[in-house]
Amino acid sequence: MSAATDPVRMPAAPAAPPRHVAIIMDGNRRWAQARGLPVALGHKAGAEAARRTIEAAADQGIGWLTLFAFSSENWRRPLDEVSALTGLLRLYLRAEVASLVKEGVRLRVIGDHARFGAELARAIEAAEKATAGGTRLNLTVALSYGARDEILGAVRRTAQAVAEGRMDPAAIDEATFGGFLQTAGMPDPDLIIRTSGEQRLSNFLLWQAAYAEFVFQDTLWPDYGAAPLAEAVAAFAARERRYGARP
Protein backbone atom coordinates (compact mmCIF):
# COMPACT_ATOMS: atom_id res chain seq x y z
CA MET A 1 0.00 0.00 0.00
CA SER A 2 1.43 3.35 -0.99
CA ALA A 3 1.85 6.24 1.36
CA ALA A 4 -0.91 8.05 -0.52
CA THR A 5 -3.40 5.31 0.31
CA ASP A 6 -2.24 4.50 3.83
CA PRO A 7 -5.09 4.93 6.32
CA VAL A 8 -4.79 7.99 8.49
CA ARG A 9 -4.15 7.05 12.11
CA MET A 10 -6.07 9.32 14.41
CA PRO A 11 -4.65 9.96 17.86
CA ALA A 12 -6.32 7.92 20.56
CA ALA A 13 -8.95 9.78 22.50
CA PRO A 14 -7.98 10.43 26.11
CA ALA A 15 -9.56 7.99 28.54
CA ALA A 16 -12.58 9.30 30.36
CA PRO A 17 -12.00 9.94 34.06
CA PRO A 18 -13.73 7.63 36.53
CA ARG A 19 -17.25 8.82 37.20
CA HIS A 20 -16.99 8.28 40.96
CA VAL A 21 -13.79 8.34 43.02
CA ALA A 22 -13.83 7.43 46.70
CA ILE A 23 -10.84 8.14 48.94
CA ILE A 24 -9.87 6.71 52.31
CA MET A 25 -7.92 9.66 53.69
CA ASP A 26 -5.17 8.14 55.83
CA GLY A 27 -1.93 9.40 57.33
CA ASN A 28 -2.73 12.59 59.27
CA ARG A 29 -1.33 11.22 62.53
CA ARG A 30 1.89 9.89 60.97
CA TRP A 31 2.39 13.15 59.08
CA ALA A 32 2.20 15.12 62.33
CA GLN A 33 4.39 12.69 64.30
CA ALA A 34 7.07 12.78 61.60
CA ARG A 35 7.26 16.56 62.12
CA GLY A 36 7.02 16.54 65.90
CA LEU A 37 3.63 18.24 65.76
CA PRO A 38 0.41 17.64 67.69
CA VAL A 39 -1.99 15.24 65.99
CA ALA A 40 -4.55 18.05 65.76
CA LEU A 41 -2.26 19.90 63.36
CA GLY A 42 -2.06 16.78 61.23
CA HIS A 43 -5.84 16.79 60.95
CA LYS A 44 -5.78 20.50 60.11
CA ALA A 45 -3.28 19.83 57.31
CA GLY A 46 -5.55 16.99 56.22
CA ALA A 47 -8.45 19.42 55.88
CA GLU A 48 -6.30 21.56 53.57
CA ALA A 49 -5.53 18.46 51.52
CA ALA A 50 -9.26 17.75 51.27
CA ARG A 51 -9.80 21.25 49.91
CA ARG A 52 -7.06 20.77 47.27
CA THR A 53 -8.40 17.38 46.29
CA ILE A 54 -11.96 18.60 45.90
CA GLU A 55 -10.75 21.35 43.59
CA ALA A 56 -8.57 18.90 41.66
CA ALA A 57 -11.41 16.39 41.24
CA ALA A 58 -13.65 19.05 39.74
CA ASP A 59 -10.84 20.26 37.45
CA GLN A 60 -10.10 16.68 36.31
CA GLY A 61 -13.70 16.04 35.28
CA ILE A 62 -14.66 13.69 38.11
CA GLY A 63 -18.39 13.97 38.75
CA TRP A 64 -18.62 12.22 42.13
CA LEU A 65 -16.10 12.33 44.98
CA THR A 66 -16.55 10.57 48.31
CA LEU A 67 -14.16 11.25 51.21
CA PHE A 68 -13.96 8.93 54.22
CA ALA A 69 -13.40 11.51 56.93
CA PHE A 70 -14.39 9.78 60.18
CA SER A 71 -15.30 6.14 60.69
CA SER A 72 -17.66 4.70 63.27
CA GLU A 73 -14.58 3.07 64.83
CA ASN A 74 -12.82 6.44 65.19
CA TRP A 75 -14.94 7.17 68.25
CA ARG A 76 -12.53 4.86 70.11
CA ARG A 77 -9.71 7.36 69.64
CA PRO A 78 -8.56 9.60 72.52
CA LEU A 79 -11.16 12.17 73.55
CA ASP A 80 -8.91 15.13 72.78
CA GLU A 81 -8.38 13.90 69.21
CA VAL A 82 -12.11 13.37 68.66
CA SER A 83 -12.80 16.85 70.07
CA ALA A 84 -10.20 18.37 67.75
CA LEU A 85 -11.71 16.61 64.76
CA THR A 86 -15.19 17.78 65.71
CA GLY A 87 -14.02 21.37 66.10
CA LEU A 88 -12.22 21.21 62.77
CA LEU A 89 -15.33 19.88 61.07
CA ARG A 90 -17.43 22.66 62.55
CA LEU A 91 -14.90 25.26 61.38
CA TYR A 92 -14.75 23.71 57.90
CA LEU A 93 -18.51 23.85 57.50
CA ARG A 94 -18.58 27.52 58.47
CA ALA A 95 -15.64 28.49 56.27
CA GLU A 96 -16.17 26.40 53.17
CA VAL A 97 -19.88 26.38 52.36
CA ALA A 98 -19.76 29.67 50.44
CA SER A 99 -16.81 28.38 48.43
CA LEU A 100 -18.60 25.11 47.66
CA VAL A 101 -21.63 27.03 46.41
CA LYS A 102 -19.45 29.29 44.27
CA GLU A 103 -17.60 26.32 42.75
CA GLY A 104 -20.79 24.38 41.99
CA VAL A 105 -20.09 21.61 44.50
CA ARG A 106 -23.03 19.78 46.02
CA LEU A 107 -22.33 18.43 49.52
CA ARG A 108 -23.88 15.30 50.95
CA VAL A 109 -22.98 13.73 54.30
CA ILE A 110 -23.52 10.04 55.08
CA GLY A 111 -23.05 8.17 58.34
CA ASP A 112 -24.41 8.58 61.85
CA HIS A 113 -23.35 12.21 62.09
CA ALA A 114 -26.02 12.89 64.73
CA ARG A 115 -23.47 11.48 67.20
CA PHE A 116 -21.52 14.73 66.81
CA GLY A 117 -24.35 16.60 68.55
CA ALA A 118 -27.36 18.68 67.57
CA GLU A 119 -25.41 21.83 66.70
CA LEU A 120 -23.16 20.09 64.20
CA ALA A 121 -26.06 18.08 62.80
CA ARG A 122 -27.88 21.36 62.09
CA ALA A 123 -24.75 22.80 60.47
CA ILE A 124 -24.49 19.75 58.21
CA GLU A 125 -28.14 19.99 57.23
CA ALA A 126 -27.74 23.70 56.45
CA ALA A 127 -24.62 23.03 54.34
CA GLU A 128 -26.40 20.32 52.36
CA LYS A 129 -29.34 22.62 51.73
CA ALA A 130 -27.13 25.58 50.72
CA THR A 131 -25.15 23.51 48.21
CA ALA A 132 -28.07 21.50 46.79
CA GLY A 133 -27.94 23.31 43.47
CA GLY A 134 -24.32 22.39 42.69
CA THR A 135 -23.84 20.48 39.45
CA ARG A 136 -20.07 20.56 38.84
CA LEU A 137 -19.12 18.02 41.50
CA ASN A 138 -21.12 15.80 43.84
CA LEU A 139 -19.11 15.68 47.07
CA THR A 140 -20.02 13.08 49.69
CA VAL A 141 -18.35 13.09 53.09
CA ALA A 142 -18.60 9.97 55.26
CA LEU A 143 -18.77 10.94 58.93
CA SER A 144 -19.19 8.44 61.76
CA TYR A 145 -19.69 5.97 58.93
CA GLY A 146 -19.34 2.20 58.93
CA ALA A 147 -20.33 0.01 55.99
CA ARG A 148 -21.49 -2.92 58.13
CA ASP A 149 -23.82 -0.63 60.07
CA GLU A 150 -25.07 0.80 56.78
CA ILE A 151 -25.83 -2.67 55.39
CA LEU A 152 -27.52 -3.79 58.60
CA GLY A 153 -29.67 -0.66 58.55
CA ALA A 154 -30.66 -1.38 54.96
CA VAL A 155 -31.56 -4.97 55.91
CA ARG A 156 -33.77 -3.72 58.73
CA ARG A 157 -35.55 -1.23 56.47
CA THR A 158 -36.06 -3.89 53.81
CA ALA A 159 -37.45 -6.34 56.38
CA GLN A 160 -39.79 -3.66 57.72
CA ALA A 161 -41.10 -2.94 54.22
CA VAL A 162 -41.77 -6.64 53.70
CA ALA A 163 -43.44 -7.00 57.11
CA GLU A 164 -45.73 -4.05 56.38
CA GLY A 165 -46.71 -5.51 53.03
CA ARG A 166 -45.08 -2.71 51.03
CA MET A 167 -42.63 -5.02 49.30
CA ASP A 168 -42.72 -8.54 47.88
CA PRO A 169 -39.64 -10.49 49.03
CA ALA A 170 -39.40 -12.09 45.59
CA ALA A 171 -39.06 -8.63 44.03
CA ILE A 172 -35.98 -7.64 46.06
CA ASP A 173 -32.92 -7.32 43.83
CA GLU A 174 -29.63 -5.45 44.06
CA ALA A 175 -31.15 -2.19 42.83
CA THR A 176 -34.02 -2.42 45.31
CA PHE A 177 -31.71 -3.16 48.22
CA GLY A 178 -29.34 -0.39 47.12
CA GLY A 179 -32.20 2.05 47.50
CA PHE A 180 -32.17 1.40 51.25
CA LEU A 181 -28.46 2.22 51.60
CA GLN A 182 -27.21 5.65 52.63
CA THR A 183 -25.71 6.05 49.16
CA ALA A 184 -29.07 5.64 47.41
CA GLY A 185 -29.10 7.64 44.18
CA MET A 186 -25.30 7.66 43.89
CA PRO A 187 -23.31 5.63 41.36
CA ASP A 188 -21.03 2.96 42.81
CA PRO A 189 -17.38 4.05 43.02
CA ASP A 190 -15.28 3.23 39.96
CA LEU A 191 -12.03 3.93 41.79
CA ILE A 192 -11.20 3.66 45.48
CA ILE A 193 -7.95 5.26 46.64
CA ARG A 194 -6.27 4.77 49.99
CA THR A 195 -3.35 6.93 51.00
CA SER A 196 -0.40 6.37 53.37
CA GLY A 197 0.54 2.91 52.10
CA GLU A 198 -2.13 0.96 53.97
CA GLN A 199 -4.01 -1.61 51.88
CA ARG A 200 -7.43 -2.31 53.35
CA LEU A 201 -11.00 -1.00 53.09
CA SER A 202 -11.52 -0.38 56.82
CA ASN A 203 -15.29 -0.92 56.67
CA PHE A 204 -15.78 1.60 53.85
CA LEU A 205 -18.44 1.17 51.12
CA LEU A 206 -18.34 -2.62 51.31
CA TRP A 207 -21.49 -3.15 49.21
CA GLN A 208 -20.71 -0.39 46.73
CA ALA A 209 -17.08 -1.47 46.17
CA ALA A 210 -18.00 -4.79 44.51
CA TYR A 211 -16.44 -3.87 41.14
CA ALA A 212 -14.33 -0.85 42.05
CA GLU A 213 -10.70 -0.59 41.03
CA PHE A 214 -8.25 0.01 43.89
CA VAL A 215 -5.18 2.22 43.98
CA PHE A 216 -2.99 2.32 47.10
CA GLN A 217 -0.59 5.24 47.34
CA ASP A 218 2.23 5.88 49.80
CA THR A 219 1.48 9.61 50.05
CA LEU A 220 0.35 10.67 53.51
CA TRP A 221 -3.00 12.41 53.27
CA PRO A 222 -1.84 15.95 54.30
CA ASP A 223 0.51 15.89 51.26
CA TYR A 224 -2.27 14.90 48.85
CA GLY A 225 -3.59 17.02 46.00
CA ALA A 226 -3.90 17.29 42.23
CA ALA A 227 -0.74 15.38 41.25
CA PRO A 228 -1.30 12.15 43.22
CA LEU A 229 -4.98 12.21 42.28
CA ALA A 230 -4.02 12.45 38.60
CA GLU A 231 -1.59 9.53 39.07
CA ALA A 232 -4.35 7.38 40.57
CA VAL A 233 -6.76 8.30 37.77
CA ALA A 234 -4.08 7.43 35.18
CA ALA A 235 -3.58 4.02 36.82
CA PHE A 236 -7.34 3.48 36.66
CA ALA A 237 -7.44 4.42 32.98
CA ALA A 238 -4.80 1.80 32.16
CA ARG A 239 -6.89 -1.05 33.54
CA GLU A 240 -9.40 -3.24 31.73
CA ARG A 241 -12.69 -3.48 33.61
CA ARG A 242 -14.46 -6.76 32.82
CA TYR A 243 -17.01 -7.01 35.66
CA GLY A 244 -16.42 -10.76 35.89
CA ALA A 245 -16.84 -11.41 32.15
CA ARG A 246 -14.23 -12.47 29.60
CA PRO A 247 -13.20 -9.93 26.95
Side-chain angles (χ1 to χ4, degrees):
M1 183 179 291
S2 68
T5 58
D6 281 346
V8 177
R9 295 185 180 274
M10 300 298 292
R19 184 183 184 195
H20 182 181
V21 175
I23 305 179
I24 301 171
M25 305 183 295
D26 194 14
N28 291 350
R29 177 190 293 271
R30 275 173 283 168
W31 184 92
Q33 289 175 339
R35 290 160 176 77
L37 299 172
V39 174
L41 291 184
H43 292 310
K44 183 178 180 181
E48 294 294 330
R51 179 184 294 111
R52 292 193 302 270
T53 304
I54 292 166
E55 293 174 356
D59 290 341
Q60 294 177 27
I62 296 166
W64 297 77
L65 176 67
T66 298
L67 301 178
F68 196 12
F70 192 94
S71 75
S72 52
E73 291 77 19
N74 286 159
W75 290 105
R76 303 171 190 166
R77 291 186 177 184
L79 180 60
D80 58 343
E81 184 176 351
V82 173
S83 297
L85 280 166
T86 303
L88 184 61
L89 175 60
R90 188 180 295 111
L91 176 64
Y92 183 89
L93 287 171
R94 283 202 304 264
E96 295 298 320
V97 170
S99 177
L100 295 177
V101 172
K102 181 180 178 182
E103 296 299 325
V105 177
R106 179 185 180 185
L107 174 67
R108 178 178 183 175
V109 179
I110 60 173
D112 185 18
H113 48 77
R115 287 190 65 179
F116 287 99
E119 178 187 352
L120 192 52
R122 286 193 297 269
I124 290 170
E125 183 179 355
E128 290 179 325
K129 184 176 180 180
T131 62
T135 58
R136 186 170 175 233
L137 175 68
N138 291 279
L139 171 64
T140 303
V141 177
L143 289 174
S144 189
Y145 171 86
R148 288 184 173 182
D149 286 343
E150 178 191 26
I151 292 170
L152 285 173
V155 169
R156 294 187 191 101
R157 288 186 287 274
T158 304
Q160 183 177 1
V162 170
E164 294 174 352
R166 295 184 285 111
M167 182 174 293
D168 178 1
I172 300 172
D173 56 15
E174 290 185 11
T176 303
F177 184 77
F180 288 100
L181 295 170
Q182 297 176 30
T183 54
M186 295 170 53
D188 287 344
D190 301 296
L191 170 62
I192 295 180
I193 300 167
R194 181 165 187 150
T195 63
S196 86
E198 302 292 344
Q199 299 186 18
R200 57 182 179 272
L201 270 177
S202 296
N203 201 17
F204 181 53
L205 298 181
L206 298 180
W207 173 276
Q208 300 86 342
Y211 284 103
E213 297 290 328
F214 293 85
V215 171
F216 300 105
Q217 295 175 292
D218 292 332
T219 306
L220 297 177
W221 178 249
D223 294 325
Y224 211 80
L229 177 62
E231 291 174 4
V233 169
F236 168 86
R239 298 181 186 178
E240 181 183 15
R241 305 185 76 199
R242 297 189 297 271
Y243 300 96
R246 291 185 182 276

